[in-house]
Amino acid sequence: MITLLEAHALHHRFGRTAALDDVSLTLRRHEILAIVGESGSGKTTLLNALSGRLTPQRGDILYDDGGGPRALASCGEVVLRKLQRARWGYIAQDPRSALRLDISAGGNIGERLMASGARHYGDIRAIATHWLEAVEIDPARLDDLPRYFSGGMLQRLQIAATLVTAPELVFMDEPTGGLDVSVQARILDLIRSLVRRLGLAVVLVTHDIGVARLLADRLIVMRHGRIVESGLTDQVLDDPHDEYTQLLVASVLPA
Amino acid sequence: MQGYNFAYLDEQTKRMIRRAVLKAVAIPGHQVPFASREMPLPYGWGTGGIQLTAALIGPDDVLKVIDQGADDTTNAVSIRSFFARVAGVRTTTRTTEASLIQTRHRIPETPLRADQIIIYQVPMPDPLYRLEPSRPVARRLHAMVDYGAMHVKLYEDITRFGRVAVSYDHPVMVNQRYLMSPSPIPAFDNPKLHRSPALQLFGAGREKRIYAVPPFTSVVSLDFEDHEFNPQRAPQTCALCGSTTSYLDEMVIDDQGGRMFACSDTDFCEQQRQAQHDHAA
């Protein structure tokens, strides 16, 4: 398995709070890695650091774009932006903050295409239509404004707008956070099938053990900015070693 | 004229503006900040253009000022007489006679020459300002050549109206690098920016920015491969000179709904009529 993303001894403090305390991890190609932990455990900070949105105060993040691992810190902002615009994706918890609500669904899906140089209107529309179908939105709504979409549809639209450039690595921050349970299940189903079909590598932040169990190959448990346990998802959840992980697993309500 | 420096501005200010101009010429399409001065006319009336003119004009220059294509509207007449008073230079309404042309909203129909400089008055220098409200973020977008949002806007226009809905200030790419606002000239004039032999300078007084298109620089209007840039022109002929190619103004001439179309470039119209007159005589 080829390593895609690697973090070495990340440290980051907000004032006196250690948000990241000696965090190291590796992500392989086509692998789904979940980061779980309670609020304030540093999992979102870790996601931001890995996706280049925050520069950690110490430590290195290496990314392998096929030509050998390179440190994000040394590749410069222009290269980083290019990665973020096409080869990486970021799916936020609140699709309203990530989408343009006064631009049609097609325009939202087309944005990343146009930012990477697509200049054929007809092709952009055809691709956008295809992606609406892929995320189970009626293609007839291509020219509708997202402000009239439901929460679940918005999240599906954000997924389409992110995956349209066929990224190899997607960061997800609580992708089903604000949704009701039945919608959550459908979105999770959709993410699972798309991720497998496209062979994406995913870093997924969630506080929901159920989501991690459903999607993730491997799991990292964080507390107070440290990794307390990591391993294969089933292994960690069925046989948790760390005291905190045991508590976390035990506190899941029985279905 | 007593009590004023030549061309109104003091020499320090002129030097500062010339430095900004040099930098702007060196980086085509890039907006260079400058310390815009108070001028004896309100913001929005051409304070940026008038400062560029003041910094560049010399005693041998011949100045033409265009306002919406016309030489005889308030703004054009006032700025012309302003420089006639404070610099004592010759002024003209003929495009071919001018060495310095300050303009608002038009490029002359008569092609410009390499020994001419055209100065545009610009209200809003940043083409991204309607898309990205934060100035620092917009500047980063320029630095990263991150112009996807501009195309999203054009995409949205075509989706809603079937064509790009802006008929003026249509954004252009300069030298394949910077996205630039051509100032509120009609899209019809955009092709004249491309590889023009004249030096083209843009001044925004309120926004304190100067930018430039050096002679023979590539200027391409944004479009899609299957929806090419297609500037509009009223499909009429000029009622005065009969031109079928020049950009026309539509005028209401009575309260019965009567309308007249005439060249917006008054100098061009006059030359056409003169030529016809000479031909007939």
Side-chain angles (χ1 to χ4, degrees):
Chain A
M1 287 273 251
I2 310 154
T3 302
L4 187 64
L5 194 71
E6 228 179 315
H8 283 300
L10 301 184
H11 287 263
H12 198 84
R13 305 183 73 88
F14 294 114
R16 292 169 57 196
T17 330
L20 295 178
D21 185 4
D22 195 21
V23 172
S24 299
L25 61 84
T26 56
L27 175 74
R28 302 183 187 94
R29 228 167 255 281
H30 315 303
E31 182 186 43
I32 306 178
L33 173 71
I35 306 169
V36 299
E38 61 195 3
S39 302
S41 60
K43 51 191 198 300
T44 297
T45 308
L46 178 56
L47 191 75
N48 286 338
L50 293 175
S51 60
R53 300 175 148 218
L54 172 130
T55 310
Q57 285 150 347
R58 272 199 290 139
D60 289 317
I61 296 164
L62 304 171
Y63 170 69
D64 188 346
D65 62 353
R70 273 173 78 187
L72 283 192
S74 70
C75 71
E77 204 178 334
V78 176
V79 174
L80 186 62
R81 278 268 189 131
K82 280 221 173 90
L83 284 176
Q84 288 170 336
R85 233 146 67 181
R87 300 185 70 168
W88 294 1
Y90 189 97
I91 294 174
Q93 177 173 1
D94 180 13
R96 282 175 190 82
S97 64
L99 295 168
R100 294 175 186 271
L101 297 182
D102 50 353
I103 296 283
S104 67
N108 271 292
I109 298 178
E111 175 160 8
R112 272 163 69 93
L113 287 175
M114 291 184 255
S116 340
R119 293 292 178 266
H120 192 286
Y121 178 79
D123 289 355
I124 293 167
R125 276 178 83 75
I127 295 170
T129 308
H130 164 79
W131 270 101
L132 280 183
E133 280 169 352
V135 297
E136 295 160 21
I137 297 177
D138 182 2
R141 307 207 61 176
L142 183 66
D143 296 336
D144 289 357
L145 296 184
R147 68 170 77 251
Y148 305 116
F149 284 15
S150 68
M153 278 173 79
L154 281 175
Q155 193 55 285
R156 274 179 271 154
L157 181 61
Q158 190 191 188
I159 291 168
T162 308
L163 298 187
V164 67
T165 52
E168 57 185 354
L169 170 60
V170 178
F171 301 94
M172 299 186 188
D173 187 6
E174 306 269 12
T176 56
L179 304 169
D180 68 57
V181 182
S182 64
V183 177
Q184 249 187 42
R186 287 187 59 193
I187 300 260
L188 285 175
D189 235 25
L190 177 73
I191 293 178
R192 189 164 59 163
S193 67
L194 283 175
V195 161
R196 291 292 176 224
R197 207 170 73 211
L198 302 169
L200 302 176
V202 177
V203 182
L204 169 79
V205 157
T206 181
H207 60 257
D208 187 336
I209 297 285
V211 170
R213 192 190 277 279
L214 192 68
L215 292 177
D217 302 315
R218 280 198 307 132
L219 194 69
I220 281 175
V221 183
M222 287 190 73
R223 192 181 193 206
H224 300 322
R226 298 186 70 91
I227 294 178
V228 294
E229 189 157 358
S230 68
L232 296 175
T233 309
D234 291 339
Q235 223 168 36
V236 174
L237 294 184
D238 293 343
D239 182 21
H241 287 203
D242 184 83
E243 204 177 316
Y244 174 70
T245 317
Q246 288 168 0
L247 183 77
L248 208 63
V249 172
S251 63
V252 175
L253 296 174
Chain B
M1 192 177 171
Q2 292 269 307
Y4 284 108
N5 189 32
F6 176 79
Y8 187 77
L9 285 179
D10 60 281
E11 294 303 312
Q12 280 300 329
T13 301
K14 288 186 193 172
R15 258 176 240 144
M16 173 271 293
I17 292 172
R18 288 173 200 147
R19 279 197 295 272
V21 168
L22 285 175
K23 188 168 175 184
V25 169
I27 317 171
H30 173 63
Q31 302 162 47
V32 180
F34 79 111
S36 179
R37 297 286 191 257
E38 289 283 329
M39 294 303 283
L41 77 168
Y43 287 135
W45 287 44
T47 50
I50 208 170
Q51 287 180 81
L52 277 172
T53 303
L56 298 177
I57 204 164
D60 302 329
D61 272 314
V62 182
L63 178 70
K64 171 182 165 75
V65 183
I66 308 170
D67 175 13
Q68 304 261 19
D71 294 284
D72 50 6
T73 53
T74 315
N75 202 284
V77 172
S78 314
I79 293 175
R80 227 171 30 234
S81 72
F82 174 76
F83 280 110
R85 277 178 69 192
V86 299
V89 294
R90 266 203 317 131
T91 63
T92 180
T93 59
R94 299 278 307 268
T95 302
T96 49
E97 283 175 7
S99 61
L100 213 56
I101 302 171
Q102 182 177 334
T103 182
R104 164 175 181 253
H105 290 206
R106 276 312 306 279
I107 300 175
E109 305 285 355
T110 313
L112 301 176
R113 298 184 313 263
D115 61 340
Q116 293 177 312
I117 298 176
I118 182 162
I119 293 165
Y120 298 80
Q121 299 172 197
V122 182
M124 183 40 80
D126 200 323
L128 297 171
Y129 87 107
R130 279 191 201 283
L131 305 167
E132 178 47 67
S134 155
R135 292 299 85 214
V137 173
R139 291 180 70 176
R140 293 196 94 75
L141 294 179
H142 281 292
M144 305 285 155
V145 205
D146 195 348
Y147 296 137
M150 196 75 235
H151 264 97
V152 172
K153 203 239 160 224
L154 300 186
Y155 170 97
E156 205 61 9
D157 275 3
I158 296 172
T159 304
R160 281 189 211 173
F161 311 112
R163 61 180 179 85
V164 174
V166 286
S167 56
Y168 66 95
D169 208 353
H170 187 106
V172 293
M173 260 323 246
V174 177
N175 204 21
Q176 294 104 45
R177 174 59 183 83
Y178 279 100
L179 187 71
M180 188 189 90
S181 154
S183 87
I185 58 170
F188 176 86
D189 280 346
N190 273 18
K192 295 177 194 159
L193 295 161
H194 179 60
R195 298 191 55 79
S196 167
L199 171 62
Q200 307 180 75
L201 301 174
F202 299 77
R206 183 190 54 209
E207 302 295 325
K208 302 177 170 56
R209 293 289 183 277
I210 286 171
Y211 52 102
V213 175
F216 303 106
T217 303
S218 139
V219 179
V220 180
S221 304
L222 289 200
D223 63 358
F224 286 100
E225 286 158 18
D226 50 343
H227 279 262
E228 283 181 26
F229 174 69
N230 179 26
Q232 306 284 312
R233 175 191 176 274
Q236 271 78 8
T237 50
C238 172
L240 301 176
C241 75
S243 171
T244 54
T245 54
S246 77
Y247 194 73
L248 300 178
D249 282 342
E250 182 181 6
M251 281 162 278
V252 178
I253 48 174
D254 54 35
D255 52 8
Q256 263 78 56
R259 276 166 169 63
M260 181 180 117
F261 287 86
C263 290
S264 114
D265 185 338
T266 52
D267 170 57
F268 175 80
C269 197
E270 224 159 85
Q271 301 312 316
Q272 294 289 101
R273 276 179 283 159
Q274 187 68 46
Q276 285 158 15
H277 182 78
D278 293 350
H279 190 71

